[in-house]
Amino acid sequence: MNVDAGDLRSSLLALQQADSFFPAGAVAWSWGLETLVSDGRLGVPDEPTVRRRQRGMHRDRSAQVRGFVEGQLRHRWASFDRAFLIAAWHAADDLPALQVLDAEVEALTLAEELRQGSRRVGQSLLGVHVALGTQGAEAYQRQVLAGDAPGHLPVLQGLLWRRLGMDCNHCQLAAAHSLCTGLVSAAVRLGVIGHIDAQRVLTALQPLLLELLAQAPPAIDDACGFTPMAEIAVMRHETQDLRLFAN
């Protein structure tokens, strides 16, 4: 059997970039999940649950986590972030075009907390690639530091991963999988689900992820996100007394 060395290299790069061990800074963000848990809207243990735990019984709250992640995948990532990642991948050698895309993400992300999160995770990813010597990373970081580009995550994923040599499909898969694992990991750290249930959620999400990737991506002019409950939760996060995550 012949093996395409280029495809294997792209696959290996995607595995590295999507690995939670890669220090991209996304672990500090819950994208509204923490507030929803605190408000009792996503798997907060009640008194009967506590009693069940004391008897060695647990309520399965993975369905709620799965529903939250599905919403983020369908109504934010696939309909918005994906479009900008693909556009940035195609424009990886065109600095002015990348800056335009970056500015559009800034303008179309209405919640300040979401804008801040996307910028900070994107700039963290950029900083890692500058340290690793990825081609094009330092030049774009200069634009960000000069205030000429905000440095949003999907734009930087498209730029940096194209410069690494990842094909467009692998870039999309790595970005979507990273989102899923980041959200499920947040649920684990919040005590909503355990590690085994987290893996069940990720497995259950795979058919949806493949379905979304099989669909044509939206054009930039049609890109939009609609996750109102999560966005309100993100905006309310700063009012919480105890906070584990940045949003």
Side-chain angles (χ1 to χ4, degrees):
M1 181 178 65
N2 293 327
V3 177
D4 186 329
D7 186 65
L8 281 179
R9 180 175 183 275
S10 178
S11 299
L12 187 59
L13 287 167
L15 289 171
Q16 180 187 12
Q17 298 298 310
D19 195 328
S20 59
F21 182 70
F22 193 86
V27 295
W29 307 85
S30 79
W31 308 106
L33 187 65
E34 183 171 27
T35 302
L36 293 175
V37 171
S38 179
D39 287 348
R41 295 185 178 273
L42 195 134
V44 173
D46 53 18
E47 186 176 348
T49 304
V50 173
R51 289 199 297 268
R52 286 197 295 272
R53 283 181 173 177
Q54 291 171 346
R55 296 196 301 269
M57 300 171 61
H58 299 269
R59 184 176 66 182
D60 182 7
R61 292 171 283 167
S62 58
Q64 295 167 298
V65 174
R66 176 182 171 181
F68 179 80
V69 180
E70 282 186 2
Q72 293 294 307
L73 272 177
R74 285 186 185 274
H75 306 299
R76 176 69 189 187
W77 183 84
S79 62
F80 186 80
D81 289 16
R82 184 189 180 199
F84 284 94
L85 185 157
I86 293 172
W89 188 89
H90 286 289
D93 296 320
D94 187 343
L95 182 58
L98 290 168
Q99 290 174 296
V100 169
L101 291 170
D102 219 348
E104 287 190 61
V105 176
E106 179 80 8
L108 293 173
T109 306
L110 300 183
E112 167 58 27
E113 292 76 9
L114 289 181
R115 291 197 301 274
Q116 182 185 73
S118 179
R119 289 193 301 261
R120 288 179 60 180
V121 178
Q123 292 173 25
S124 178
L125 178 68
L126 180 59
V128 173
H129 280 275
V130 169
L132 292 174
T134 301
Q135 185 181 14
E138 187 174 356
Y140 203 80
Q141 188 183 58
R142 287 197 295 268
Q143 302 302 312
V144 173
L145 294 175
D148 295 328
H152 281 287
L153 179 62
V155 174
L156 288 169
Q157 287 173 331
L159 162 63
L160 297 168
W161 293 349
R162 171 69 184 273
R163 291 299 189 93
L164 281 178
M166 289 169 59
D167 72 34
C168 195
N169 286 333
H170 286 154
C171 291
Q172 296 173 70
L173 189 61
H177 178 71
S178 296
L179 173 65
C180 292
T181 55
L183 292 173
V184 171
S185 173
V188 171
R189 283 179 285 160
L190 289 167
V192 177
I193 56 175
H195 290 280
I196 299 301
D197 282 336
Q199 294 305 313
R200 291 192 180 104
V201 170
L202 290 173
T203 300
L205 287 167
Q206 289 175 2
L208 170 62
L209 182 51
L210 294 175
E211 174 192 329
L212 293 173
L213 291 175
Q215 298 172 2
I220 288 297
D221 289 343
D222 297 325
C224 62
F226 186 71
T227 54
M229 182 174 287
E231 291 189 27
I232 292 170
V234 166
M235 289 186 282
R236 292 188 57 253
H237 184 262
E238 65 180 2
T239 67
Q240 302 298 311
D241 293 331
L242 297 175
R243 290 177 287 174
L244 178 64
F245 295 91
N247 77 5

